Amino acid sequence: MVRTVRPLLPLLLAPLLLAPLLLTACGSEPGQPRDTDAPAAELVTRARALGIAPELVYVIEAPGFALARQSVGVYGGDGFSATYVSRQEGGQLRLYVDRGTMSASDCATGQQTCESDGEGVWYRSGRGTHEYAVVKEDHVVRLEGDAGVSRDVLREAARDARRPSGEEVAELLPSAPADGAAPSEPVERGDLPPAGDGAPRNDVDAGG
């Protein structure tokens, strides 16, 4: 079954690549929310206004990669998707969070290789990409990278994926309209990465 990614271009009012707040670094800072923490009130309000389940909104950190804000959108029914790009290398990391789980048979579906890399952590590759899938209590966090992205970078970013902090929520998701209507102003595009524009892919099936 093909999952549908719905980008939120009309809702985004900031430049393509975020300021250093969401520029990636190694490791999580003390006090940042964990994926086991309840979503903050502002995250709940903004995510629900877009049709995204608040508990499925995540951010990642990877050296040299920054969020392409116009890529943020709904994945599947009420899941979350976002793309991070490297302006130097032109590579992409595509983040998908959706309800469900992943077993060994799910992992192998449509892939050339599949292997366990710890409890609830799967690594697989095929079709010119590779990805890590981290199984949470009732959802799966998947991070897919281009072939040029190292497995070590992919592994660390996927395992450390977490809910956004209050400041990150303000940069990641647009404010919920007071009257319930979606903003009509188009996104102001900034400098595009040298290869691709960070748009989400629509050719990903239910298992990845």
Side-chain angles (χ1 to χ4, degrees):
M1 179 178 67
V2 175
R3 294 286 187 181
T4 301
V5 178
R6 303 197 295 276
L8 304 174
L9 286 172
L11 302 176
L12 306 175
L13 307 178
L16 170 66
L17 295 179
L18 297 183
L21 177 64
L22 284 178
L23 285 175
T24 52
C26 295
S28 299
E29 296 294 331
Q32 288 180 334
R34 300 164 299 178
D35 63 278
T36 54
D37 294 338
E42 185 65 16
L43 171 57
V44 171
T45 300
R46 294 185 183 221
R48 285 180 175 171
L50 303 176
I52 300 172
E55 66 273 19
L56 301 183
V57 178
Y58 277 72
V59 293
I60 63 163
E61 297 175 346
F65 286 84
L67 177 71
R69 195 178 182 192
Q70 95 284 2
S71 71
V72 174
V74 181
Y75 180 66
D78 60 356
F80 175 78
S81 68
T83 298
Y84 292 73
V85 299
S86 169
R87 301 185 70 172
Q88 288 74 31
E89 304 296 332
Q92 294 187 1
L93 293 174
R94 293 169 288 274
L95 175 66
Y96 305 104
V97 187
D98 201 10
R99 301 186 187 280
T101 187
M102 181 174 287
S103 64
S105 60
D106 295 329
C107 176
T109 301
Q111 304 295 318
Q112 293 176 345
T113 63
C114 170
E115 61 185 78
S116 174
D117 195 354
E119 184 177 358
V121 180
W122 299 95
Y123 172 77
R124 56 187 187 168
S125 63
R127 298 177 293 181
T129 66
H130 59 154
E131 75 168 31
Y132 265 90
V134 181
V135 180
K136 303 294 184 179
E137 183 175 352
D138 59 357
H139 58 277
V140 179
V141 177
R142 293 173 39 230
L143 186 62
E144 178 187 70
D146 296 334
V149 178
S150 76
R151 178 171 174 175
D152 288 342
V153 168
L154 200 62
R155 178 196 298 112
E156 184 171 352
R159 285 182 166 177
D160 291 343
R162 56 174 175 78
R163 293 211 175 99
S165 66
E167 289 183 335
E168 288 171 323
V169 169
E171 297 291 345
L172 181 67
L173 302 174
S175 299
D179 59 0
S184 58
E185 295 183 38
V187 63
E188 178 184 346
R189 296 179 69 91
D191 293 334
L192 294 175
D197 65 356
R201 293 165 30 141
N202 291 319
D203 61 344
V204 182
D205 57 29

